[in-house]
Amino acid sequence: MADLQSIVDGIYSDLTPRLGEGKVADYIPELAKVDPKQFGMAIATVDGQLFTVGDAATPFSIQSISKVFMLTLALGKVGEAVWNRVGREPSGSAFNSIVQLEHEHGIPRNPFINAGAIAVTDIVLAGYQPKEAIGEYLRFMRMLADDDAITIDGKVARSENETGYRNFALANFMRGFGNLHHPAEHVLGVYFHQCALSITCTQLARAGLFLAAEGKNPLTGHSVVSAKRARRINALMLTCGHYDGSGDFAFRVGLPGKSGVGGGILAVAPGKASIAVWSPGLNKVGNSLLGSVALEMLAARTGWSVFAGHGSESRA
Ligand code: DON
């Protein structure tokens, strides 16, 4: 395998002619202002190295990638009881779909579609004021990335609060089924702030590293979750992390991954590295278009697909 820096440099130069492809999310007005011609990538390896390229130091809106970290907090708080509130099956539908919720009596399919993430946020909120829950999440993200410069963009949170009609519908619908224990306004206040976290590829790759290293952050020595829990979170990312594009992402990339409408994707190569990629243009199912292509190239050039077998470094 060529060294990782030349691999990421190669991916960046191969993608440079395509910068700007895809469509920036515009249903959150503040996100529509982002320059689409940006691309960054960062790889944090379990042995402590960091490889970056392009706009890896530019902050972007974490959006749905936050769902992985809030799930981690919820599991820490109530353990397996999370699964009484939310399922573990791919949805096969859009991230903000409401149709399945009625059939399934207000229990969302998985923690990564919006409805499931809202239920998870409700779990994290228990016993707290919304501000305290947001503070707990922000401290967790700073601890994981080992970087206190990470902040929440209040403008993005407000923008979504003013236009998030579908999320209010999902939350109220679940409250009607008894699967939301706090007022929708409180839960969504936390949810919109968690999604509005500003983070760079470098910070995100570092924050996700515990998932690649059996639950332990090798940079800080912190034990974040058990090895079993890290494995299970990875399994959910692989099967549900890209909504209705999850099957295609597994087919093309073969790594657990979680996307956000800010254009970011966090991918995990277990035992090897955590990878963050960001490019704001999205494909039809709301996942970063060039980010997915970049990860497909990375998986092919490193042999890191979880389906490739141990020690395999096949390149095609
Ligand atoms: O709730 C929303 O619609 C956004 N805050 C997050 C959606 C999202 O990132 C979907 N990911 N691709």
Side-chain angles (χ1 to χ4, degrees):
M1 182 174 77
D3 76 277
L4 281 173
Q5 191 59 50
S6 45
I7 290 180
V8 291
D9 289 343
I11 292 171
Y12 187 53
S13 65
D14 288 351
L15 289 180
T16 300
R18 299 182 59 181
L19 292 184
E21 277 186 27
K23 198 173 168 294
V24 173
D26 56 7
Y27 75 100
I28 301 172
E30 209 45 42
L31 292 187
K33 300 178 183 166
V34 175
D35 172 9
K37 292 200 158 175
Q38 301 183 85
F39 177 92
M41 193 166 190
I43 301 178
T45 62
V46 294
D47 59 6
Q49 300 184 74
L50 182 73
F51 304 91
T52 64
V53 77
D55 302 308
T58 304
F60 61 91
S61 197
I62 194 169
Q63 293 299 323
S64 285
I65 305 167
S66 65
K67 295 168 181 175
V68 173
F69 300 103
M70 286 296 272
L71 174 65
T72 305
L73 282 177
L75 285 166
K77 191 163 177 173
V78 303
E80 299 300 299
V82 165
W83 309 119
N84 301 330
R85 306 275 306 273
V86 57
R88 300 191 292 260
E89 292 295 340
S91 68
S93 51
F95 63 87
N96 54 8
S97 172
I98 201 166
V99 286
Q100 265 167 1
L101 259 189
E102 171 139 46
H103 288 299
E104 295 173 2
H105 309 288
I107 306 290
R109 270 286 168 104
N110 68 64
F112 295 151
I113 51 173
N114 284 10
I118 291 166
V120 166
T121 298
D122 190 58
I123 294 170
V124 174
L125 179 56
Y128 285 131
Q129 292 301 317
K131 268 201 175 141
E132 295 169 331
I134 295 166
E136 190 193 346
Y137 162 72
L138 181 59
R139 276 193 301 280
F140 185 54
M141 296 306 293
R142 287 175 170 174
M143 183 273 283
L144 289 177
D146 197 22
D147 192 339
D148 283 347
I150 295 176
T151 54
I152 290 174
D153 185 336
K155 264 169 120 179
V156 173
R158 261 193 307 284
S159 180
E160 198 172 359
N161 196 42
E162 283 159 10
T163 54
Y165 309 112
R166 290 182 79 123
N167 284 325
F168 279 101
L170 291 169
N172 280 308
F173 203 59
M174 283 193 288
R175 189 127 160 102
F177 278 107
N179 196 20
L180 202 74
H181 300 170
H182 303 86
E185 292 70 24
H186 290 189
V187 184
L188 290 177
V190 179
Y191 174 79
F192 294 142
H193 280 84
Q194 79 188 49
C195 291
L197 188 95
S198 278
I199 198 161
T200 68
C201 286
T202 298
Q203 291 164 336
L204 182 59
R206 293 167 67 105
L209 200 49
F210 73 97
L211 292 170
E214 299 189 319
K216 219 174 164 171
N217 184 334
L219 302 176
T220 61
H222 281 130
S223 197
V224 184
V225 295
S226 67
K228 178 178 171 187
R229 187 160 285 167
R231 224 164 38 235
R232 289 176 156 186
I233 296 171
N234 286 335
L236 289 165
M237 289 171 73
L238 185 84
T239 51
C240 311
H242 283 73
Y243 313 107
D244 207 13
S246 298
D248 196 51
F249 187 82
F251 181 84
R252 287 168 48 195
V253 178
L255 295 174
K258 181 74 206 80
S259 68
V261 286
I265 302 176
L266 171 65
V268 178
K272 299 185 174 77
S274 161
I275 307 119
V277 61
W278 168 59
S279 186
L282 307 180
N283 62 20
K284 285 201 186 80
V285 281
N287 303 315
S288 175
L289 197 155
L290 292 185
S292 310
V293 176
L295 288 168
E296 187 174 2
M297 289 173 165
L298 180 74
R301 294 174 193 189
T302 55
W304 279 356
S305 162
V306 295
F307 303 108
H310 286 296
S312 161
E313 290 188 355
S314 63
R315 307 201 55 197

